[in-house]
Amino acid sequence: METSKVIHAIYTDDDVLMNAVKKVKAEKHHIEEIYTPFPVHGLDKAMGLAPTRIAIASFIYGCIGLIVSIVMMDFIMISDWPQNIGGKPSFSYIENMPAFVPIMFELTVFFAAHLMVITFYLRSRMWPFKKAENPDPRTTDDHFLMEIAVHGNEKELDSLLKETGAVEIRLIEKEEAH
Amino acid sequence: MYTISNKLKTFSIALIILGLLGVGYGFMTSHKSFEDVETMLAQESSHGGGHAEEATHETASQDVVASEDHAQESHGEESHVDAHKEHVEHVQHQIANRPWSALYVAAFFFFMIALGVLAFYAIQFASQAGWSPVLFRVMEGITAYVLPGGLIVLAIAIASGTIGHYNIFIWMDPDVVAHDKLLQGKAGWLNIGWFAVRGLIFIAGWSIYRFFARKFTIAQDKSDDNSNFKKTFRISAAFLVFFIYTESIMSWDWIMSVDPHWFSTLFGWYVFAGMAVSGITVIAFISLYLKSRGYLEVVNDSHIHDLAKFMFGFSIFWAYLWFSQFMLIWYANIPEEVTYFVTRIEDYNGLFFGMLALNLVFPFLVLMNSDYKRIPWFVVMAGIVILVGHYIDVYVMIMPATVGDRWAFGIPEISSIMLFAGLFLFIVFTALTKAPLVVKRNPFLKESENFHY
């Protein structure tokens, strides 16, 4: 298996981390990954990550849910067996629509919410029994870890990261996974 | 300090004058004689249509007249003439009601914007919102219209029963009440004296809150501690309790009682939702206008984004209440309740369902995207649609009860809107010149100035 070298720089404060990210970006180094114990506001912007499109996905799922509910009830209540139930008009979908709205609403929300969550799990590769990808257990408690790829410029990176206030800098041989 | 531009002043005064002329014209042309109405009806029935279609109204005792129309036709010549006479009088009355209702709808629409803003303003204080203090003076400017606007609405309501011929509220007519068991039962609540007193108490309560809240925030600008802020916080919390009771009763009195045979329990909330969304839309409009003129530099696109979120959310809230009210009555289909929607669906079909598109579908789709909510012209466009939609909402609440199927959108309606739009602009923008456009020394001011979402 091939190996590549990365540097792990550990910080103990999110403000210091933010400044470090800006500095590293300004020096045009590629940040592979950052591990934090909690969401740091503005970190994605500082790293230059593309905005998420999960809201768009959710809107589309909601539309699908709405269509499913309409087609289902139109078939069951209007086309398949248009019974007279308590005098409600089952002649066409629109005539009996107010009675269907609660279900249309709920299925829209159901599809939008659940499919969005599943999309999130798939895209972020999360599932039960998944092996945790955690380079340092302290990053789930109170430390912040920045991972930078090394292409023969360890010395330069080392001094740069020291300057930014890293409390620990380690060179790691990493297995090329996925 | 903001100074009202001459252009705006002239514009609003021109609106008021043109509006007054149009309203006057509306009143002059609405008094048709019996013979005029008779020939008009004869002409209409010769064009097809005829009696059957015109006799589908449900306004208090008048519906009895209409439904008897058919029953009596077979009962010989004499009663037929009688029914014909009553039908013509019924239509004559509807035509006479039109300018009154047009005036009342427009007056209420602009008043409800100011009252909605007042409630929103109190909520901002009571919830100690950190984003909104830079908008407080804009809100205070809009709420300056609560006192004159409220008095005008009440004055039109009472005048319609004293000067006019019971043109908006049928329960004000002693003749009708004498023949109507239901109205007799409600007379303890629905009588002109108590109606007027209630209205004055509500307006007084709202105006007193507005007066003191304004006084304390201006005092806070110059003081060296936060005691004035705390006072505003306390009266805002107290006002909100007062408001939710009085707003509910106000909506029964000023709107629901145009259909005195009908009642709905969530009506007060429904009116409030329309009020809140129109009020917030106008806050956004005036903030954007002042910002575009360079008077409100501290307002950034995150503030606009927040206002647009409120427009979005309250539009959906309004639709939720509209649907809840409609669906419960449609589903149970109890005759005494359902007539309210039957008249609206038969005579106002396009408006009644069209406003759902304007008030729900359009804002829902347009204001859903987070980026669009920061673009001024997008917010303005959605806001115009929302305001038109809520004018139609008020129109469809009032008109079916007063003019029935004799509704139209012409000079009386447009000029009433112009009149009150002019008055509203004049009062609001004059009030904005009275104090600096941004509060000073509000404990949340710094947070609000740096607000970013």
Side-chain angles (χ1 to χ4, degrees):
Chain A
M1 205 173 278
E2 242 185 294
T3 59
S4 69
K5 283 180 180 173
V6 293
I7 282 187
H8 281 178
I10 291 186
Y11 298 86
T12 49
D13 187 275
D14 49 345
D15 285 334
V16 177
L17 174 77
M18 282 292 282
N19 288 329
V21 169
K22 282 171 195 156
K23 210 158 191 178
V24 171
K25 284 301 270 188
E27 299 284 325
K28 302 253 189 297
H29 293 292
H30 179 67
I31 301 173
E32 296 269 288
E33 193 64 272
I34 293 181
Y35 297 87
T36 65
F38 52 77
V40 177
H41 269 288
L43 188 58
D44 52 341
K45 280 223 178 72
M47 286 172 74
L49 299 181
T52 172
R53 289 166 297 178
I54 200 154
I56 298 168
S58 181
F59 179 76
I60 294 166
Y61 298 147
C63 295
I64 294 170
L66 184 64
I67 293 166
V68 166
S69 66
I70 292 172
V71 170
M72 175 186 77
M73 287 183 293
D74 184 51
F75 175 71
I76 297 173
M77 301 300 291
I78 310 296
S79 318
D80 192 36
W81 196 1
Q83 261 205 116
N84 182 344
I85 303 166
K88 285 280 157 285
S90 316
F91 307 109
S92 70
Y93 191 78
I94 198 77
E95 269 184 292
N96 210 2
M97 199 189 75
F100 301 146
V101 167
I103 296 157
M104 285 155 66
F105 171 78
E106 292 294 347
L107 277 186
T108 307
V109 174
F110 179 87
F111 273 64
H114 288 83
L115 292 181
M116 177 178 79
V117 168
I118 292 167
T119 307
F120 169 72
Y121 286 155
L122 291 175
R123 289 292 286 139
S124 45
R125 304 212 177 93
M126 288 190 345
W127 59 86
F129 314 115
K130 178 198 163 81
K131 195 172 170 296
E133 301 166 10
N134 195 350
D136 190 324
R138 287 175 301 169
T139 58
T140 61
D141 182 15
D142 59 351
H143 284 60
F144 304 81
L145 190 151
M146 189 197 296
E147 185 178 291
I148 302 169
V150 180
H151 307 287
N153 52 355
E154 294 109 300
K155 286 268 160 58
E156 187 202 329
L157 266 174
D158 199 70
S159 60
L160 172 69
L161 290 171
K162 278 233 173 69
E163 236 176 82
T164 62
V167 293
E168 232 179 279
I169 298 169
R170 279 177 300 169
L171 191 63
I172 305 273
E173 300 267 321
K174 196 180 168 195
E175 274 181 18
E176 201 85 70
H178 14 272
Chain B
M1 280 304 249
Y2 169 70
T3 44
I4 186 167
S5 70
N6 269 331
K7 237 174 163 178
L8 193 65
K9 212 178 206 166
T10 333
F11 176 64
S12 56
I13 290 170
L15 275 181
I16 294 173
I17 292 169
L18 282 175
L20 274 177
L21 289 174
V23 169
Y25 171 81
F27 275 100
M28 306 246 282
T29 51
S30 67
H31 292 288
K32 297 236 190 297
S33 69
F34 187 86
E35 287 73 27
D36 283 349
V37 177
E38 208 169 23
T39 44
M40 189 191 82
L41 285 175
Q43 266 170 2
E44 277 174 16
S45 61
S46 68
H47 288 300
H51 263 227
E53 269 174 42
E54 272 146 26
T56 45
H57 294 292
E58 311 280 341
T59 18
S61 68
Q62 294 163 345
D63 58 2
V64 180
V65 178
S67 59
E68 278 172 2
D69 223 13
H70 299 287
Q72 290 183 345
E73 258 165 322
S74 54
H75 289 250
E77 206 45 23
E78 198 179 318
S79 62
H80 180 76
V81 171
D82 224 35
H84 171 72
K85 182 167 165 283
E86 281 184 46
H87 177 55
V88 173
E89 272 168 359
H90 171 63
V91 173
Q92 189 185 8
H93 193 62
Q94 285 181 331
I95 292 170
N97 288 348
R98 192 174 149 205
W100 281 97
S101 311
L103 197 64
Y104 191 67
V105 169
F108 186 83
F109 175 68
F110 283 98
F111 163 70
M112 92 175 184
I113 290 172
L115 190 60
V117 172
L118 189 67
F120 189 70
Y121 175 76
I123 291 169
Q124 298 306 307
F125 264 105
S127 63
Q128 307 199 356
W131 67 279
S132 53
V134 295
L135 299 172
F136 279 170
R137 282 288 142 79
V138 175
M139 297 187 208
E140 284 168 15
I142 299 170
T143 55
Y145 187 74
V146 166
L147 179 61
L151 288 176
I152 290 169
V153 173
L154 189 64
I156 297 171
I158 292 169
S160 78
T162 48
I163 304 169
H165 193 71
Y166 319 111
N167 293 85
I168 302 175
F169 299 97
I170 198 78
W171 55 263
M172 286 182 178
D173 189 344
D175 246 17
V176 170
V177 177
H179 298 99
D180 192 321
K181 266 266 190 255
L182 262 170
L183 289 189
Q184 283 162 24
K186 292 183 182 185
W189 182 265
L190 291 181
N191 58 72
I192 296 185
W194 184 209
F195 176 87
V197 171
R198 276 196 310 270
L200 286 175
I201 292 172
F202 302 160
I203 295 168
W206 303 329
S207 308
I208 288 168
Y209 165 70
R210 199 259 166 197
F211 174 79
F212 281 107
R214 170 87 167 171
K215 193 179 148 193
F216 294 149
T217 51
I218 286 177
Q220 175 72 18
D221 280 3
K222 296 190 191 92
S223 75
D224 43 15
D225 62 2
N226 285 335
S227 62
N228 286 298
F229 174 78
K230 286 179 189 160
K231 280 189 218 159
T232 326
F233 171 74
R234 273 188 220 116
I235 60 169
S236 297
F239 166 74
L240 284 171
V241 176
F242 176 79
F243 173 78
I244 205 60
Y245 281 103
T246 51
E247 188 274 334
S248 199
I249 301 172
M250 179 274 282
S251 70
W252 310 335
D253 276 0
W254 295 2
I255 298 190
M256 201 162 79
S257 81
V258 294
D259 282 295
H261 278 194
W262 182 77
F263 43 85
S264 164
T265 39
L266 64 66
F267 199 76
W269 281 107
Y270 171 68
V271 172
F272 170 71
M275 219 178 239
V277 67
S278 334
I280 293 162
T281 305
V282 172
I283 297 174
F285 276 7
I286 293 182
S287 311
L288 282 171
Y289 170 78
L290 291 173
K291 189 175 158 61
S292 74
R293 294 285 145 129
Y295 288 108
L296 264 183
E297 292 302 340
V298 288
V299 172
N300 58 42
D301 63 350
S302 292
H303 294 112
I304 302 304
H305 185 224
D306 257 30
L307 285 170
K309 274 192 283 189
F310 272 112
M311 285 157 64
F312 176 75
F314 272 106
S315 289
I316 294 170
F317 179 61
W318 173 89
Y320 165 61
L321 293 178
W322 178 89
F323 181 72
S324 302
Q325 180 169 274
F326 173 72
M327 194 261 231
L328 282 181
I329 290 174
W330 172 87
Y331 208 102
N333 205 14
I334 299 170
E336 71 186 62
E337 287 177 352
V338 87
T339 51
Y340 183 82
F341 289 114
V342 170
T343 45
R344 276 157 184 79
I345 291 172
E346 276 179 1
D347 298 335
Y348 291 75
N349 199 297
L351 289 182
F352 187 63
F353 292 112
M355 78 177 177
L356 264 192
L358 299 181
N359 290 342
L360 171 68
V361 180
F362 190 85
F364 182 76
L365 294 175
V366 167
L367 290 177
M368 184 160 358
N369 189 317
S370 177
D371 296 331
Y372 294 171
K373 287 197 275 264
R374 295 163 179 275
I375 304 171
W377 68 265
F378 234 91
V379 175
V380 170
M381 187 182 66
I384 289 170
V385 172
I386 288 173
L387 287 183
V388 170
H390 283 282
Y391 173 82
I392 296 174
D393 183 25
V394 179
Y395 188 89
V396 173
M397 285 195 278
I398 301 287
M399 286 293 184
T402 54
V403 301
D405 66 350
R406 295 273 149 202
W407 66 274
F409 198 78
I411 289 172
E413 286 79 11
I414 293 169
S415 49
S416 302
I417 294 173
M418 282 162 67
L419 168 62
F420 289 107
L423 205 61
F424 183 84
L425 287 179
F426 188 78
I427 290 172
V428 169
F429 280 94
T430 309
L432 284 171
T433 62
K434 298 276 168 62
L437 276 181
V438 179
V439 292
K440 297 185 201 93
R441 287 207 78 265
N442 182 299
F444 295 100
L445 182 61
K446 186 114 179 88
E447 183 182 343
S448 180
E449 280 170 350
N450 296 310
F451 174 66
H452 267 284
Y453 169 73

